[in-house]
Amino acid sequence: MKRVLPILLCLLALAVPRLYGQDRTVTFSAQPAEGGTVEASYLISWEEPPVTIGSGGKVNNNEYVTFTATPNEGYEVEKWEFNGTVDESSNGRKECSKTIDADMTVVVYFKQTA
């Protein structure tokens, strides 16, 4: 019995991250950098303010994250790119949301206005 308990504890330690989701890395940036900034946040509950994360931050598996682009003067949002794929539905939008089920790289592209 003394040998079984440590084995069970090890199995439990391995199972807990799978039960509650694993951390996913979310990296985001703006191109060109002088075009503006991008921020990311997620909600814990409707009663609390959103939790802001920095680029390279961790979120739980299947977390719903909102990305907000803030263009500098003379720029506007052109498109969003998620893991190297342009999201056509978000073109020109200042806000975009995704469920994070794997590590994700997000890039918002700004273009100069006339």
Side-chain angles (χ1 to χ4, degrees):
M1 188 64 176
K2 290 181 182 180
R3 293 183 188 187
V4 174
L5 185 59
I7 292 171
L8 290 175
L9 289 174
C10 288
L11 290 174
L12 181 62
L14 292 172
V16 169
R18 288 180 177 83
L19 293 173
Y20 292 105
Q22 297 177 351
D23 288 337
R24 302 297 184 185
T25 302
V26 180
T27 306
F28 49 92
S29 62
Q31 295 294 328
E34 66 271 7
T37 59
V38 62
E39 297 177 344
S41 63
Y42 62 93
L43 289 176
I44 293 177
S45 73
W46 292 106
E47 293 82 30
E48 296 182 37
V51 175
T52 303
I53 59 171
S55 183
K58 301 276 188 181
V59 297
N60 289 331
N61 192 37
N62 293 317
E63 192 75 61
Y64 190 71
V65 177
T66 300
F67 300 93
T68 305
T70 306
N72 289 333
E73 188 173 330
Y75 287 87
E76 65 185 13
V77 175
E78 179 181 10
K79 63 184 176 182
W80 291 85
E81 188 177 271
F82 296 91
N83 285 340
T85 303
V86 174
D87 183 356
E88 300 292 336
S89 67
S90 63
N91 286 351
R93 293 176 38 203
K94 291 183 181 180
E95 191 173 280
C96 195
S97 299
K98 293 288 181 188
T99 301
I100 309 298
D101 57 3
D103 290 347
M104 184 171 286
T105 301
V106 179
V107 181
V108 60
Y109 290 90
F110 294 101
K111 65 179 178 181
Q112 281 189 309
T113 55

